[in-house]
Amino acid sequence: TFQNGTAGIDNQGTVEVKGNWTQNAAGGGLVNGSAGTVILDGANQTVGGSIQTTFSNLTLGGTGIKTLGISATVTGTLSLVDRELATGTNLLTVTTTGTITRTSGFVSSLSGGYLVRNTNSTGTYFYPVGGPNGGIFRPMEIAPATSTSNSFRVRFVANSPTSDGFTATTTDGTLCNVNTSFYHQVVQTGADQAIMTMYFSSAIPENFLRMAHWQGGPVWTNMNPVTSVTGYGLNGLRTSAAWSDFSSVAFDLASPLTPSAPVATAATNINCNTFTANWNAATDAAGYYLDVASDAGFSTLVVNNLLVAGTTYNVTGLATSGNYYYRVRAYNGCGTSGNSNVIGPATTFTA
């Protein structure tokens, strides 16, 4: 505890703290801007007091959750290691000279609290954010379009956007639905465009193919085009161009509308008891359902509603000298298309 006057430490080495860090000395705390490291190496610990602390390097160790009782700043390396740093309703600011490292740790925040990165380059700034009290890790990346001095604040929100007034069912008509498990809040203090990346788990029962922003009407507005990426052991979506609208804090993942029916194309590799069914990719399809029948009316199915990831499938185990027909449907998280055109007959032959 730094209690009075100018009580402080000129930290040019390492200060290991087992209890809480309390800064009440207006002219004290960590003095002279020396490039030392503070390690919070106890159990649950709080960075608090009446005066905000600026750390050169801050490392989280020990056990439990590290909590901000007041806003704080890091000018060097914030090393989260495997701990959660809970900002609560406060701001944790990493300056333009700062970096963030982690193994599995992340930053959580409550309403009004954010992880803040000051920016002055077009590089990619990492926001390792997640849910409070050991919640899920769902980071973001922001790459400003210019090197103008700016700052971006990010908070992971572990509830439906509807709970905060951003009604999930109100869209611009080009989205099927938005994610109701979580969303992100992003605040820009300057006026810069930026490439934005949001990460999510493939285990979530949604096939996210869109990013959305609450704006205009207001409604959830499609941020397309986006590009699929991977990172941090997660799937992700990235805006294909710099995003400029930060009129609202709410950003979310979303699913597109049900895909149109694919176009089936001629069978190939026809053999005595096999052939390859082919079709063109449908926009926004997560996969396809294949039917194969021995009649054009599909009353006698030999393959029924088979889930196929790609746009070809080798149909085997057929009778020789038989006529076969096939059709496909595209699906995604919103629904399943109608049937494609029918291809056939693909006639197997006697060896």
Side-chain angles (χ1 to χ4, degrees), residues 6-337:
T6 58
I9 299 174
D10 187 353
N11 180 20
Q12 300 186 42
T14 300
V15 176
E16 187 173 353
V17 181
K18 295 292 186 181
N20 295 329
W21 177 278
T22 305
Q23 162 67 313
N24 291 325
L30 296 171
V31 299
N32 299 332
S34 299
T37 299
V38 172
I39 303 175
L40 299 180
D41 204 25
N44 292 336
Q45 292 173 277
T46 299
V47 175
S50 59
I51 306 296
Q52 296 183 20
T53 298
T54 296
F55 298 93
S56 290
N57 302 293
L58 178 62
T59 298
L60 308 188
T63 60
I65 296 173
K66 317 304 178 182
T67 301
L68 294 188
I70 189 172
S71 295
T73 299
V74 177
T75 60
T77 299
L78 170 62
S79 181
L80 298 170
V81 193
D82 61 352
R83 297 293 91 202
E84 176 184 343
L85 179 49
T87 76
T89 59
N90 302 296
L91 304 180
L92 174 62
T93 300
V94 179
T95 66
T96 56
T97 56
T99 59
I100 302 176
T101 65
R102 66 181 289 274
T103 54
S104 58
F106 61 88
V107 177
S108 67
S109 299
L110 301 178
S111 180
Y114 291 94
L115 172 58
V116 184
R117 304 282 317 254
N118 293 341
T119 64
N120 64 352
S121 80
T122 57
T124 298
Y125 292 82
F126 175 43
Y127 291 79
V129 293
N133 300 312
I136 59 175
F137 168 65
R138 296 294 180 265
M140 285 192 67
E141 291 173 341
I142 295 177
T146 73
S147 56
T148 303
S149 293
N150 202 346
S151 72
F152 292 86
R153 304 177 179 184
V154 174
R155 174 189 170 220
F156 171 88
V157 187
N159 56 252
S160 170
T162 301
S163 301
D164 299 325
F166 311 112
T167 308
T169 55
T170 304
T171 74
D172 64 0
T174 69
L175 299 170
C176 175
N177 51 53
V178 299
N179 179 26
T180 56
S181 297
F182 62 85
Y183 72 105
H184 288 80
Q185 292 187 355
V186 181
V187 177
Q188 180 190 195
T189 59
D192 204 0
Q193 300 181 15
I195 299 290
M196 302 178 67
T197 308
M198 302 173 70
Y199 289 91
F200 56 95
S201 170
S202 59
I204 292 177
E206 284 283 347
N207 186 51
F208 295 124
L209 295 172
R210 294 288 185 272
M211 297 168 64
H213 181 233
W214 183 258
Q215 65 183 61
V219 297
W220 283 108
T221 300
N222 196 337
M223 295 173 66
N224 224 29
V226 296
T227 302
S228 295
V229 297
T230 59
Y232 318 106
L234 298 166
N235 293 338
L237 292 173
R238 176 174 296 151
T239 55
S240 299
W243 185 255
S244 61
D245 193 325
F246 293 88
S247 58
S248 158
V249 300
F251 290 82
D252 205 351
L253 296 157
S255 294
L257 299 175
T258 300
S260 299
V263 175
T265 57
T268 55
N269 302 320
I270 300 172
N271 208 318
C272 59
N273 57 6
T274 70
F275 71 84
T276 300
N278 303 288
W279 55 92
N280 294 333
T283 301
D284 295 327
Y288 302 89
Y289 293 110
L290 171 67
D291 296 335
V292 179
S294 58
D295 65 295
F298 288 83
S299 60
T300 306
L301 290 162
V302 295
V303 173
N304 182 20
N305 214 39
L306 177 68
L307 178 61
V308 181
T311 56
T312 65
Y313 184 78
N314 189 34
V315 183
T316 62
L318 303 174
T320 57
S321 301
N323 291 330
Y324 293 95
Y325 303 79
Y326 64 89
R327 65 190 182 190
V328 290
R329 294 172 296 284
Y331 79 91
N332 62 15
C334 188
T336 302
S337 76

